[in-house]
Every structure is written in C-alpha cells, then in structure tokens.
Amino acid sequence: MDRITVRPSGPLSGRVAISGAKNSVLKLMAATTLAEGRFRLDNVPDIADVTWMAALLETMGMSVERAGQTLTVDHPPDITAEAPYELVEKMRAGIVVLGPLLARFGRARVALPGGDDFGPRPIDMHLRGLEALGARFESSHGYVTGHSDGLIGARVVLEFPSVGATENLLMAGVLAKGTTIVDNAAREPEISDLAAFLNRMGAHVLGAGSSTITIEGVEQLAPVEHVVVPDRIEAATFLAALGVTGGEITLVGARPDHMDVLCEKLGGMGMRISPDPDGLWAMARDRAHSVDVTTLPYPGLATDYLPLLVAMLAVADGVGIVTENLFAGRFRYVDELTRMGADIRTESHHAVIRGVARLSGAPVRAHDIRAGAALVVAGLGADGETVISDAHHIERGYEDLVGKLTGLGADVVAD
Ligand code: UD1
C-alpha cells in the first residue's frame, strides 16, 4: 500500500475493534531476549513495526511466528547480542534491546538510531541510566557497544520521563544485582504493561505507572504468555475521525482509563464520550469547538495525539493554540494540511489554528505514522479527493486503518 484516497464521508457509525498497542508490543518483544524458552503474545497488531522487530529478534537467532493475533517467540540457548543498522533505522524502538541484552549477556552492540521527521532522537538518558548500573559504552561506526561485568542496582533520576529510557532501565534492572530505583520515570500505560510482563516472568518490579519504579533484581527469568494492552493512539484516531465527520461509534476493547485527559479534551470540543461495557462509546453531532492543546508526558496529552487533534481543529469552530513540548520538530504535517486549505501558523513549538468551514482535498504526503493518519482524518472532512502518498508509513503503526474506517462507513481506498 503506497497511496490512500479519501473522499468526504458522512457520519461514521458502528463498532470498530481496537488492536494491541504498537508502543507496548515492541518492548514486550524486546523483553523476550531476557529468558530462554517459548513466549506467547496475544492481541498483537499486524503492523510493519512488529514485522521489523520480529526480523531483529531473528537476526539474533530467535524465531518468531505469527498466527492471527498471536505471536510465538522461541528463544534458543544461544543468541547474538547485536542489533544491525538496517533494522534499527527502520524501527527506532529497536534501541530498547540494549538494556535487556546488556543485563543478560554483559555485552550488546546496537546501531545508533538516526533522527526522523520529529527531529533528533537522542539516547543520552538511556546510556547515562545504564552507566549508573555499571555499564560502559563506546560509540564507533554508527554503533554503540556496551559492556558490563554484571549490572549492579542503583538509583537513577531521569532528567525527563523518557519512555524508551525508562523501558531500557526496567529491562536491565530486572537482572541486575540488588535494587534499582528509577525516579522521574515515564508513567505511560505501555510501561505498566511491560512491568506486568516482566513480573509474570518472575521479576520484582513495583510502582510502574508512578514516577518512582523500584526493581529488585533476580537471578533468572522464565518465558510467559501475555495479552498486549489496547492501542490508545489508534483509539484516538477513530475519535478524531468521528470529530470531523460526526456520528456515533463504539471502540471495542479500548481502555477509557488510559485516555482520561484526551476524553476530557474531546468533551470540551463538544464530543460525548463514555465508557461502555465493550470499551468506549462516542458521539459527535455538531461542528467541534476549538480548544487549546498542550502535549506532556503521560498522564498529560500524548504527543502522538497531536497531529490527529490538529486535523480536527483545522475544521473546528474558532481558534486553537497548540503547544508541542516533546518533539520540537514535529510540525511537518502542518504544511500538508495547509495545502488542503487549513489556516495554521507555526512558530517554534506552537501552532495557531483558525478553523475553516471545509478543507479542500489535495495530493499530500505522509511523513510519519501519526502525520499520515492525521491526513486521512482531514480528508474525511474535505471536499473532493485527498490522495495521500507514502502511505506505507501508516502501515508501520496501524492494522488495516482503511478497512476499519470503511467498516464505519468512511469512503477510503488503498492502492
Ligand atoms: C516513545 C513512543 C513515541 C512517543 C514518545 C513520547 C515508542 C516506540 N515510541 O518514543 O511514539 O511519541 O514515546 O510519548 O514507544 N530524549 C532525550 N534523550 C534520551 C531520550 C529521550 O533527549 O535519551 C528526549 C526526546 O528527544 C524527546 C523526549 O525526550 O524530546 C521524549 O522522548 P521519549 O519519551 O524517550 O520517546 P521515545 O521512547 O523515543
């Protein structure tokens, strides 16, 4: 799939199943490097990043098989503690194998992730945290190589609640000697999912979901079965689509408790949302009202929601000011929305969006996963045809976005 064509769509209606979270499953797959044996993951989304992470585990000597939503990972006695550039470059989450490989094997060689359309993606906090546990690093030829003679638990205070750094420290701390404390830890639901997975493997992790995580190291872990948490960003994508088209939908399997601040914000824009026995129910009747939006680490509004909310604000009633606090360079999609007639001005990490009554369909380009999804959302509320190129970015993080939207009555076609 390299192009998606979107035509204006009437009110959405019906039920849509929310897949497992990309940002959780990739880390759970990395955690399978921590113990020998057979793991089983359920509710695994069929997305390109999972395929790349499976390829990464396979280059290390593991084998990965998919049957429907189930992934089986076989970890043999010997694996190679190395993550090559070709795979880390495609899927930057590959850096989270660094902590578990170091903890398990005392050495790891992982390609340095490059920048992307959000701007630079540094890993200094990952490295400083692991150094506090006794690891030593050197960088050369685009790779970071780590060594340790056995990690030793320590207290690490993160400068910022980085999701990736928290995950690397969690997966290193579980096999370190003694107690590791991560302060100013990231609190995302995907961190809690990883901690639950590790605890099921026999780890002792306390406090995941809060700012202080305490890990008592153990000698050995064992393989387990686990069901991946639902993808709150995918759920937000359908809510943004509803905000543009109006209608009434149920997000089957969504976790409203993972999306409190988003639901509050969408409520302020005029959407009715409530928990449902099956997940989350939402209804939008009138044109959305503009609101201001600021991204923050969880439980604040996720940066990954922002392009979707900006697509909604582009056709909302009034003026909204949005502030992106996590990735300063994350506004490239705004140029594409402007080509569709949106009235948006950006200044540093702020954007001022004056809602217009209607966008106008145009050829546009998806620069990353959420930017691509935001253009699909915008196309639903635009006159004429919106043709999104480089749509393969969307497949990195969405299982069958086109099919799911079509099931809700949208006019969306992939080719
Ligand atoms: C994860 C998510 C991504 C989401 C982001 C923030 C995955 C696969 N990706 O990315 O979708 O947008 O969380 O919620 O889970 N930083 C440093 N040094 C570091 C690490 C991070 O300066 O060593 C900075 C980053 O540049 C960024 C901020 O910290 O400005 C947050 O990044 P982080 O939370 O680490 O994001 P990721 O884990 O890469």
Side-chain angles (χ1 to χ4, degrees), residues 23 27 121-126 162-164 303-304 326-327:
N23 287 354
K27 324 307 169 60
R121 299 291 285 262
I123 56 162
D124 54 313
M125 281 188 257
H126 302 233
S162 153
V163 171
T303 171
D304 290 353
L326 278 90
F327 296 104

